Amino acid sequence: MRPGRRFRKVNMKRIEPIDRPLKGTIAVPGDKSIAHRAVIFGSIAQGRTRIFNLSGGEDNSRTVRAFRQLGVEIERDGDVLCVAGKGFAGLRQADGAIDCGNSGTTIRLMSGLLSGLPFHSELDGDASIRQRPMQRVIDPLTKMGARIHSKSGNGLAPLEIDGGGLHGMSYKMPIASAQVKSAILLAALQADGETRIEEPQRSRDHTEVMIRGFGGAVNVDGVQIGVNGGQSLRGQDVRIPGDISSAAFFLVAAALVPGSDVTVRNVGCNPTRDGIIEILRAMGAKLGLSNERAEAGERVVDIRVTGGTLRGVDVGPELVARTIDEYPILAIAGALAEGVTRFADVKELRFKESDRIAAMTEGLQNLGVKVESTEDSMAIHGAAKLTGGAVRSFADHRVAMSFAVAGLVSAGGVELDDARCASISFPTFFDLMEQICLH
Ligand code: S3P
């Protein structure tokens, strides 16, 4: 057997259709976006930060490793990650390139942070990262005085940075991207003077929340954000809420199977991330939010979903930023809803871990669903049943988990070429799926 073949087989997984409703109470791993930021802020603050409920996903581990390479002491103590922050000045040059793996958040946020630090850095990643646009961070950081280049000159990773000497600026962002905004904010904290940013649409605001949580100041007025350089940040205890983007797979699975009753506890429900709740409700799903509280400055709830039938909806441009990572699983919901589900203005999906418009279109068509896609839209024609068949995940964790859910609700099961990539964000995904299927 050729080595390539064996590797593919190891990652392959068949998901059989379920013959009963989904039931149970689960908690999903900690939010990936918030965890990246907790490690970053813990490392640039003064004093000890303790991070509770880290996901264990590979993306977050990349950020941890990056800061260890920059000389930060980060230790595991049972379930807690302890970060010994010594401020920006405590960071030193990494020996060799920092490998961000598959993590877009790591490479983009690190590009902003390293632009302010007075040494040479290199950022790189896997084949997917090397395809993803980096000019969107290079442009604003260059405007702040950073010396940051795409090594091959094509706007892609690897990136080379010779940091230091930043100044504040005013910047109107051409696209709504929390990664770009956060890269600018991390540079701005090290720049002379004030930096002002305007977003076209409010993207997730975990960085702003965390600046405040670590004792800093940031002014937010709708889509306008202002931050001053030279602030001092203090280490904190950060309890990371469950990831709504991980919960989404089970919310949709339970909503699609009549008789299901699933509760996901401790879900981060930040208003810049909760598009999935609004859209599933518009599709007729029965979702109940309870036990609302705050953790790490973030809104947290328990979500109960009971199964039934869904109807197709038009998801308009105004929902894109709040829903950005949930389109793949919403495409599965649309595939089994009555009528057509349309996603408008979703070009950004083409620049994720894979081209998610292409990946979801191909996979759904393999399962017998009619899908029309353009450069920036999708129309999914709901079918009474998904046939079943082979689907490619394109090494994209959210595509893989979406088609795993499709397998559960299909007639013939789904064979995924690569299910292992789920561990990028959600290493326990298949265990939890089993738990609510085999109650
Ligand atoms: C993220 C922002 C989003 C999202 C990604 C995580 C973040 O990307 O898709 O999974 O943690 O800031 P963009 O900023 O490119 O929209």
Side-chain angles (χ1 to χ4, degrees):
M1 187 184 280
R2 285 183 289 125
R5 259 183 92 83
R6 217 180 109 233
F7 182 66
R8 262 204 300 281
K9 268 242 159 81
V10 169
N11 296 334
M12 203 172 85
K13 192 172 180 81
R14 230 195 111 67
I15 292 95
E16 301 296 344
I18 38 161
D19 56 1
R20 64 187 102 169
L22 305 170
K23 296 247 157 109
T25 297
I26 55 172
V28 292
D31 188 284
K32 179 161 80 74
S33 283
I34 299 175
H36 283 300
R37 288 155 172 87
V39 175
I40 293 173
F41 278 88
S43 297
I44 61 177
Q46 288 286 352
R48 184 184 69 171
T49 286
R50 292 188 306 172
I51 304 172
F52 300 82
N53 198 29
L54 202 72
S55 77
E58 287 164 28
D59 269 14
N60 285 156
S61 305
R62 291 291 176 179
T63 297
V64 172
R65 259 184 267 169
F67 280 98
R68 284 191 177 130
Q69 256 182 283
L70 294 168
V72 182
E73 270 177 44
I74 305 179
E75 304 291 342
R76 239 188 203 288
D77 181 5
D79 288 344
V80 185
L81 195 76
C82 300
V83 184
K86 295 193 181 131
F88 285 106
L91 300 172
R92 59 165 159 72
Q93 182 165 343
D95 54 357
I98 294 174
D99 182 356
C100 302
N102 191 247
S103 177
T105 306
T106 307
I107 194 163
R108 295 210 177 100
L109 271 59
M110 293 305 289
S111 71
L113 174 78
L114 293 169
S115 288
L117 294 169
F119 48 71
H120 180 82
S121 301
E122 190 172 326
L123 291 166
D124 203 356
D126 68 6
S128 154
I129 277 291
R130 284 180 166 207
Q131 296 292 316
R132 297 181 67 184
M134 295 299 150
Q135 201 61 42
R136 54 180 64 191
V137 288
I138 295 174
D139 287 343
L141 294 171
T142 303
K143 196 171 173 209
M144 297 179 80
R147 285 158 296 159
I148 172 169
H149 306 280
S150 154
K151 228 174 155 179
S152 44
N154 54 3
L156 302 176
L159 302 176
E160 274 191 317
I161 302 169
D162 287 286
L166 301 183
H167 50 77
M169 65 159 178
S170 284
Y171 189 69
K172 201 167 167 168
M173 292 176 56
I175 40 169
S177 162
Q179 291 178 353
V180 175
K181 173 178 64 175
S182 302
I184 299 171
L185 288 172
L186 286 162
L189 287 170
Q190 305 172 76
D192 275 344
E194 191 192 10
T195 298
R196 302 194 65 81
I197 309 169
E198 184 181 321
E199 299 188 271
Q201 191 174 95
R202 249 187 116 193
S203 65
R204 63 188 68 188
D205 65 354
H206 306 304
T207 303
E208 296 90 309
V209 169
M210 211 159 276
I211 290 176
R212 293 199 185 105
F214 277 72
V218 55
N219 297 315
V220 180
D221 182 6
V223 292
Q224 314 273 352
I225 302 151
V227 71
N228 285 311
Q231 304 192 36
S232 57
L233 304 168
R234 287 183 308 278
Q236 300 292 319
D237 279 0
V238 183
R239 272 167 227 283
I240 300 180
D243 197 328
I244 191 167
S245 298
S246 298
F249 301 105
F250 299 115
L251 301 183
V252 169
L256 282 172
V257 182
S260 294
D261 188 350
V262 170
T263 298
V264 191
R265 282 189 295 106
N266 192 37
V267 183
C269 208
N270 180 310
T272 60
R273 293 278 299 278
D274 64 355
I276 177 95
I277 308 240
E278 184 174 328
I279 295 164
L280 282 178
R281 280 183 169 155
M283 295 180 89
K286 290 179 218 79
L287 294 178
L289 273 50
S290 64
N291 197 13
E292 183 171 335
R293 57 219 184 260
E295 291 275 17
E298 301 272 348
R299 176 179 180 233
V300 179
V301 295
D302 297 340
I303 305 177
R304 179 177 178 197
V305 54
T306 48
T309 52
L310 300 183
R311 55 180 174 268
V313 281
D314 282 355
V315 182
E318 71 287 355
L319 275 155
V320 172
R322 273 168 70 206
T323 314
I324 190 72
D325 290 338
E326 281 62 77
Y327 283 100
I329 188 61
L330 282 169
I332 306 297
L336 280 167
E338 213 173 278
V340 184
T341 294
R342 292 189 178 82
F343 302 154
D345 222 358
V346 288
K347 184 152 186 213
E348 273 297 298
L349 297 185
R350 295 207 179 267
F351 308 115
K352 295 296 174 188
E353 286 82 330
S354 70
D355 174 342
R356 287 182 175 161
I357 294 182
M360 294 311 296
T361 301
E362 179 188 293
L364 284 171
Q365 286 173 345
N366 288 358
L367 301 180
V369 180
K370 182 177 166 196
V371 184
E372 294 149 325
S373 46
T374 68
E375 194 46 29
D376 69 349
S377 74
M378 289 181 80
I380 300 144
H381 296 253
K385 199 80 199 158
L386 304 178
T387 53
V391 168
R392 291 196 287 169
S393 69
F394 298 88
D396 182 329
H397 55 132
R398 299 203 199 281
V399 173
M401 291 186 276
S402 297
F403 282 112
V405 171
L408 289 182
V409 294
S410 68
V414 162
E415 194 171 287
L416 271 175
D417 67 333
D418 176 6
R420 209 204 72 82
C421 61
S423 62
I424 293 282
S425 60
F426 198 166
T428 53
F429 171 75
F430 287 102
D431 301 328
L432 286 180
M433 191 162 105
E434 217 172 281
Q435 192 181 318
I436 57 169
C437 290
L438 303 175
H439 45 88

